[in-house]
Amino acid sequence: MSNDEIFAAAYREHYWAVSRYVARRLEGRAGEVEEVVAEVFTVAWRRRADLPPSPLPWLYGVARNCLANAVRGHGRRRRLVDRLGNDDTAHGRHIAVGPEADTPGAWVHEALSRLSAADQEVLRLTAWEELGVDEVAVALGCGSRAAAMRLHRARRRLRTEIDRMAPERAKADAHSMGGRDDD
């Protein structure tokens, strides 16, 4: 099979997995998903001779780098807009979300958001992308033992954050149900 055919097969087989990977990391910025995914497959096309036999973890690694570039670009655009004074809040279009808009399981996302970007990524690769440790190692560009250790430590830190948030959740639940909290 030629490099072009290998790339075409990887594209057909993994386009949607890469799209979901990118979409989950660009929370609320759906307009950028297609752009980042296109960049991922552009890089894959240029490096099609380097595609491994199981290309999905490798594609996730490329996607991580493309996402980092997109996030930096978004930050630069946001700072420019802020300097120009042309943001939504300046024009009265800021929408505040009330506590009743809390989504089920939001506390898990809150706990995850309190972790470092590296911890978040290793947890997402295993939970969202359903990669095994060896595949996580490919996506992160490290050895399997290092990936296993990163995953173990990230899980431990997530558990610590969840445990730390438990009193906060209990207090919020008591208030939302009309109960009293005598702390």
Side-chain angles (χ1 to χ4, degrees), residues 20-27 60 64 67 108-132 136 139-140 151 154-155 158:
R20 287 187 303 272
Y21 173 93
V22 171
R24 285 189 287 258
R25 284 154 180 83
L26 287 177
E27 303 163 351
Y60 287 155
R64 283 182 65 231
L67 279 164
V108 175
H109 292 284
E110 172 65 22
L112 186 64
S113 74
R114 293 180 182 194
L115 300 178
S116 71
D119 284 349
Q120 290 179 38
E121 185 61 13
V122 73
L123 291 168
R124 287 174 176 154
L125 285 168
T126 57
W128 291 354
E129 313 315 331
E130 300 178 353
L131 296 185
V136 168
L140 296 178
L151 178 59
R155 284 177 174 159
L158 180 62

Side-chain angles (χ1 to χ4, degrees), residues 1-149:
M1 195 183 278
S2 74
N3 288 340
D4 293 355
E5 292 169 330
I6 292 169
F7 169 81
Y11 180 85
R12 280 191 307 274
E13 187 174 342
H14 302 299
Y15 176 85
W16 291 111
V18 171
S19 293
R20 287 187 303 272
Y21 173 93
V22 171
R24 285 189 287 258
R25 284 154 180 83
L26 287 177
E27 303 163 351
R29 295 181 6 224
E32 294 179 57
V33 172
E34 287 183 27
E35 189 175 317
V36 172
V37 172
E39 180 62 24
V40 169
F41 283 102
T42 299
V43 170
W45 171 256
R46 284 194 304 258
R47 297 188 53 204
R48 62 192 177 277
D50 299 331
L51 280 171
S54 296
L56 186 58
W58 184 85
L59 289 168
Y60 287 155
V62 172
R64 283 182 65 231
N65 294 331
C66 292
L67 279 164
N69 291 337
V71 167
R72 281 191 299 275
H74 180 76
R76 285 190 299 269
R77 285 188 300 278
R78 184 77 240 152
R79 287 188 300 277
L80 176 62
V81 167
D82 288 345
R83 279 197 312 267
L84 294 173
N86 191 20
D87 62 0
D88 286 344
T89 56
H91 295 285
R93 292 189 297 253
H94 180 72
I95 299 172
V97 178
E100 67 281 353
D102 196 21
T103 57
W107 61 271
V108 175
H109 292 284
E110 172 65 22
L112 186 64
S113 74
R114 293 180 182 194
L115 300 178
S116 71
D119 284 349
Q120 290 179 38
E121 185 61 13
V122 73
L123 291 168
R124 287 174 176 154
L125 285 168
T126 57
W128 291 354
E129 313 315 331
E130 300 178 353
L131 296 185
V133 172
D134 292 336
E135 295 169 316
V136 168
V138 172
L140 296 178
C142 64
S144 293
R145 293 182 74 185
M149 184 57 71

